[in-house]
Amino acid sequence: MSEYNKQTRDAAGAGAAHPSADSARPSPSPNGPNPGIDETRNRQRKGWIVLFAMLFCGIIVIMNQFKVPTFMPALMADFHTDPGTTGWLMSVIAVAGIVTAFPSAFLLNRFGPKRI
């Protein structure tokens, strides 16, 4: 009996007389190309890009929301509005978030998080 069959029988148990087609395949070399590793790296890279894009967008939104208080006296003078009306300029981002949250939740429930 060849060394290959002895190893296969020992690994699979005494009942396996012939190696299956799957165990006859050579294992990939450690130095050769491995598409699974490349795919994992691409997914990780894409995840980091999404993370930094979301971080950047979050910072921009915060900067836009708190831009209004610094210019509030000038805005009130130019547009002839009271502080309450000018304060809505700060709140418009929150209102837009609330308005878009309901359709987003509907779409998320309908199509699922992976497709969205």
Side-chain angles (χ1 to χ4, degrees), residues 28-92:
S29 66
N31 297 334
N34 191 344
I37 291 175
D38 292 339
E39 185 178 322
T40 303
R41 286 182 184 158
N42 286 338
R43 262 191 266 143
Q44 287 176 348
R45 226 177 261 136
K46 195 181 294 185
W48 281 108
I49 291 171
V50 169
L51 174 73
F52 285 123
M54 293 299 294
L55 182 66
F56 178 73
C57 290
I59 290 170
I60 295 300
V61 165
I62 291 169
M63 288 172 61
N64 282 334
Q65 187 170 1
F66 292 110
K67 230 186 324 187
V68 176
T70 57
F71 295 107
M72 198 174 271
L75 290 172
M76 288 189 309
D78 289 343
F79 292 118
H80 307 290
T81 58
D82 59 342
T85 305
T86 311
W88 272 101
L89 291 173
M90 280 179 46
S91 303
V92 82

Side-chain angles (χ1 to χ4, degrees), residues 88-102:
W88 272 101
L89 291 173
M90 280 179 46
S91 303
V92 82
I93 293 173
V95 172
I98 291 170
V99 168
T100 58
F102 292 111

